[in-house]
């Protein structure tokens, strides 16, 4: 049960980070350091999700 809850929470965090990244990219431009940082954080979340889904 904990595993499913963790997986669901991770999916929510991924979607939230993705939306934030899109907003920042729209406001600041794709190469702005804040957007790049947000993208890297999203990559980390996606890697975690990939690790537990495998």
């Amino acid at each position: 049960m904990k595993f499913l809850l963790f997986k669901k929470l991770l999916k929510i965090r991924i979607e939230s980070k993705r939306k934030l990244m899109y907003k920042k990219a729209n406001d600041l431009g794709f190469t702005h350091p804040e957007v790049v940082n947000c993208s890297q954080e999203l990559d980390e979340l996606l890697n975690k999700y990939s690790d537990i889904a495998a």
Side-chain angles (χ1 to χ4, degrees), residues 5-18:
L5 187 59
F6 177 71
K7 191 173 176 181
K8 187 170 182 97
L9 178 63
L10 195 51
K11 283 174 91 171
I12 292 169
R13 289 181 63 200
I14 287 168
E15 287 307 313
S16 177
K17 185 63 70 174
R18 182 177 284 135

Side-chain angles (χ1 to χ4, degrees), residues 2-20 41-54:
K2 280 184 179 181
F3 175 75
L4 293 176
L5 187 59
F6 177 71
K7 191 173 176 181
K8 187 170 182 97
L9 178 63
L10 195 51
K11 283 174 91 171
I12 292 169
R13 289 181 63 200
I14 287 168
E15 287 307 313
S16 177
K17 185 63 70 174
R18 182 177 284 135
K19 288 178 184 177
L20 178 63
E41 291 172 1
L42 177 58
D43 286 344
E44 289 177 21
L45 292 171
L46 290 168
N47 287 339
K48 284 181 186 178
Y49 186 83
S50 178
D51 288 345
I52 66 167

